[in-house]
Amino acid sequence: MDTQPALGRRLGTTDAVVIGLGSMIGAGVFAAFAPAAQAAGSGLLVGLAVAAVAALCNATSSAQLAAQYPESGGTYIYGRRRLGEWPGFLAGWGFVFGKTASSAAMAMTFAAYAAPPGWGRPVAIAAVAALAAVNYRGVTKTARLARILVVAVLAALAVVVAVCWAQVTGPGVGARILGPGLLDSGWYGILQSAGLLFFAFAGYARIATMGGEVKDPSRTIPRAIMLALGVAVVLYALVGTSLLAALGPDGVAESAAPLAAAAAAGPWAWAVPVVAVGAALAALGALLGLLAGLGRTTMAMAREGDLPVLLAAIHPRFHVPHRAEVVLAVLICAVILVADLRGAIGFSSFGVLVYYLVANLAALTQARPQRRYPRALAVAGAVLCVVLAATLPVESVLAGGAMFAVGAAYRLVRLRLRPPARAA
């Protein structure tokens, strides 16, 4: 008889939306616009629209799959149930390792704004340890902290938008936003910017990966995914337009922290520390959501034998996958100690795009009673995932391909070492 404790269903729609938003409006909104502008100039707005369409298609597939399979693990589970063990494994592997690197990037982004000179890595590690401790104490603690962080970040972004428009004068604002060369970078540059900006939208996956802890998941998860994505799309469009109005495409591309640069160029000196605090809190919010989703996907993979079974354990008191969360926190800290963060966004995007490719393909196999949205959305989502992954920076594609090759080799070894099943 299985005496393993179960995850507690404690999250309502508001909690799920907040956790998804905390992941989506994390450090990505403070960092992703600069590389997108480098790839496409003012065409980043077109890239943002493409990324939003891809996210919408992927979200509809994830939502209807989550309604049919309301359990923790997200696309790893959907892929196994609908397509087979290998597609599910590749989705889970891409999510765990891509988001582990992304978690390290979020922690180091927090430290870049909050740590004194020379203390970046120790402060980043301390942030991982502190938020891992919050997750360890239970998912309701995660949701409460996520609410506080989301409110603070939204306030900081409101200040950024206000200060951007406070410095805009003259009749040429529209030309400055759109620029004379909206399509000068060509479709390759625009698609590359879309792939980079997709990194910022990918947080709604955290809602589906926590399906085992949501009340009435068949209703709550689809609703929360669409609500969180809708708010994020509007917010990113507003921030992107405001940055282009204040700095122009070249100014956005040249700054490692365009929101901070926009605040510094404006008439309100007090806005600069507000943006810095907002960026730090955004990174914490994203890291919090990442840690929660990573732990649940790792637990699901361990339950199915694709990762060591000890990672499937659930804490008898706090009802969280405590061993998985501890191991992941240690792994993230190790990445922080050695990582060069250049290319982290592209690497993470590659893994997540493969993850959603599996989700769309899985949704295409659902029978008519389980489908909530037209199949054309899943087809479009799958095509966009392939296109955006292929047009990411070359080093990101190569690193992502190597990550999946290592994962495939690892699973082949595990299958070879697995003891044969006993005859009934």
Side-chain angles (χ1 to χ4, degrees):
M1 181 177 179
D2 186 7
T3 59
Q4 178 74 282
L7 295 171
R9 294 194 181 276
R10 304 175 182 178
L11 300 178
T13 301
T14 301
D15 294 322
V17 170
V18 168
I19 288 175
L21 272 179
S23 300
M24 280 189 280
I25 64 170
V29 73
F30 290 87
F33 283 107
Q38 292 167 7
S42 58
L44 73 86
L45 291 179
V46 182
L48 181 65
V50 174
V53 170
L56 175 63
C57 293
N58 297 338
T60 57
S61 293
S62 295
Q64 69 183 27
L65 285 162
Q68 185 175 358
Y69 303 103
E71 51 191 295
S72 293
T75 298
Y76 169 70
I77 294 296
Y78 314 149
R80 282 183 67 93
R81 300 287 190 271
R82 307 299 312 179
L83 303 173
E85 293 185 0
W86 270 103
F89 172 81
L90 292 175
W93 186 269
F95 182 86
V96 169
F97 283 90
K99 290 304 184 181
T100 294
S102 182
S103 296
M106 296 300 100
M108 296 184 77
T109 300
F110 165 75
Y113 284 93
W119 285 82
R121 294 186 194 276
V123 169
I125 290 172
V128 172
L131 293 185
V134 171
N135 275 327
Y136 194 99
R137 297 282 295 179
V139 73
T140 53
K141 303 290 191 303
T142 300
R144 288 171 192 163
L145 182 54
R147 288 191 186 200
I148 296 170
L149 294 175
V150 165
V151 170
V153 173
L154 289 175
L157 291 177
V159 170
V160 170
V161 171
V163 77
C164 283
W165 291 102
Q167 60 187 287
V168 172
T169 58
V173 176
R176 191 172 189 181
I177 294 172
L178 300 176
L182 185 65
L183 303 178
D184 278 359
S185 298
W187 282 105
Y188 182 85
I190 288 172
L191 290 173
Q192 187 173 109
S193 74
L196 294 167
L197 287 167
F198 184 80
F199 165 83
F201 282 115
Y204 58 83
R206 237 68 73 233
I207 301 170
T209 59
M210 300 176 73
E213 294 155 283
V214 175
K215 302 172 186 175
D216 192 10
S218 63
R219 286 171 50 95
T220 298
I221 294 176
R223 184 182 304 172
I225 286 174
M226 301 309 292
L227 283 173
L229 179 60
V231 172
V233 168
V234 172
L235 184 64
Y236 279 164
L238 182 59
V239 171
T241 302
S242 300
L243 287 175
L244 288 173
L247 301 178
D250 291 339
V252 176
E254 291 167 1
S255 174
L259 276 73
W268 305 334
W270 57 265
V272 177
V274 170
V275 173
V277 171
L281 292 178
L284 286 181
L287 179 57
L288 183 67
L290 281 167
L291 288 171
L294 276 168
R296 277 66 181 175
T297 300
T298 300
M299 176 198 68
M301 294 183 73
R303 283 179 170 175
E304 300 288 352
D306 281 331
L307 289 176
V309 69
L310 64 88
L311 299 178
I314 296 174
H315 196 283
R317 177 183 174 189
F318 300 124
H319 301 280
V320 297
H322 58 298
R323 290 179 184 171
E325 292 188 348
V326 170
V327 169
L328 286 164
V330 171
L331 181 59
I332 293 165
C333 290
V335 173
I336 290 170
L337 289 173
V338 301
D340 176 1
L341 293 182
R342 293 184 63 182
I345 290 177
F347 178 81
S348 178
S349 291
F350 187 89
V352 174
L353 284 164
V354 172
Y355 176 88
Y356 282 116
L357 171 62
V358 174
N360 285 305
L361 294 177
L364 284 172
T365 69
Q366 287 181 287
R368 187 178 296 275
Q370 280 77 47
R371 272 192 256 129
R372 298 175 174 228
Y373 307 99
R375 295 180 83 248
L377 290 175
V379 173
V383 171
L384 284 170
C385 284
V386 173
V387 171
L388 296 185
T391 53
L392 285 168
V394 174
E395 59 272 17
S396 299
V397 176
L398 293 176
M403 172 187 69
F404 282 106
V406 169
Y410 164 82
R411 187 165 194 271
L412 286 172
V413 170
R414 283 189 66 88
L415 290 175
R416 185 176 293 272
L417 297 177
R418 180 182 295 174
R422 293 182 179 181

